[in-house]
Amino acid sequence: MGLIARLSRIVPLIILLALVAGVIYLVVTYRHSPARAKEVLIQVFTWVCGIISGFFALASAYAFFDHAPAVLDLTLSFMAVGLAGLAITRLCNRRFLKNNPNYRKKRLTATTHRRWPWHR
């Protein structure tokens, strides 16, 4: 199957991811700031692309063992989109933290929370 045919199957997923990114960015920018919107977008897309990659990896394994080459081709295409999205998201996170060092997660010290019977 040609490259154009493979690309035409994954275009709806890419468009859906782009629309979700646009909506999240606009809403969080309106509510907070552009830097916070980028941070939220990176967190959301790390999870979304990771879940997409995992789901389609399982579906690809199932299609492989079920001897369904057409389904395997489709699921591998979607898994590739998820992995590419995950890689792009991680690169964006690295660039974002380089330009905004105040957003780095600080390592918190362990604290003890006392519970009711012993807390007086």
Side-chain angles (χ1 to χ4, degrees):
M1 194 177 247
L3 180 64
I4 301 297
R6 283 193 178 105
L7 287 177
S8 67
R9 291 184 299 187
I10 61 174
V11 167
L13 180 60
I14 294 172
I15 290 172
L16 180 68
L17 289 173
L19 288 175
V20 168
V23 168
I24 290 172
Y25 186 79
L26 289 176
V27 168
V28 178
T29 300
Y30 177 74
R31 300 274 301 161
H32 296 285
S33 68
R36 176 69 179 146
K38 291 173 188 172
E39 181 186 18
V40 168
L41 200 58
I42 288 169
Q43 289 175 352
V44 167
F45 265 77
T46 298
W47 280 98
V48 167
C49 290
I51 290 170
I52 286 173
S53 299
F55 175 76
F56 285 112
L58 288 174
S60 296
Y62 181 77
F64 176 76
F65 289 118
D66 200 32
H67 303 291
V71 176
L72 180 63
D73 190 35
L74 181 66
T75 56
L76 286 176
S77 298
F78 285 147
M79 188 178 72
V81 169
L83 290 173
L86 191 58
I88 291 169
T89 303
R90 299 318 304 158
L91 287 173
C92 289
N93 184 42
R94 192 168 123 195
R95 177 78 175 184
F96 176 75
L97 291 177
K98 182 179 177 184
N99 292 333
N100 299 308
N102 56 333
Y103 277 95
R104 285 196 185 273
K105 301 274 187 210
K106 305 284 191 261
R107 178 165 244 162
L108 300 176
T109 59
T111 58
T112 304
H113 296 284
R114 294 198 165 96
R115 301 291 185 236
W116 169 69
W118 303 277
H119 184 226
R120 296 208 185 244

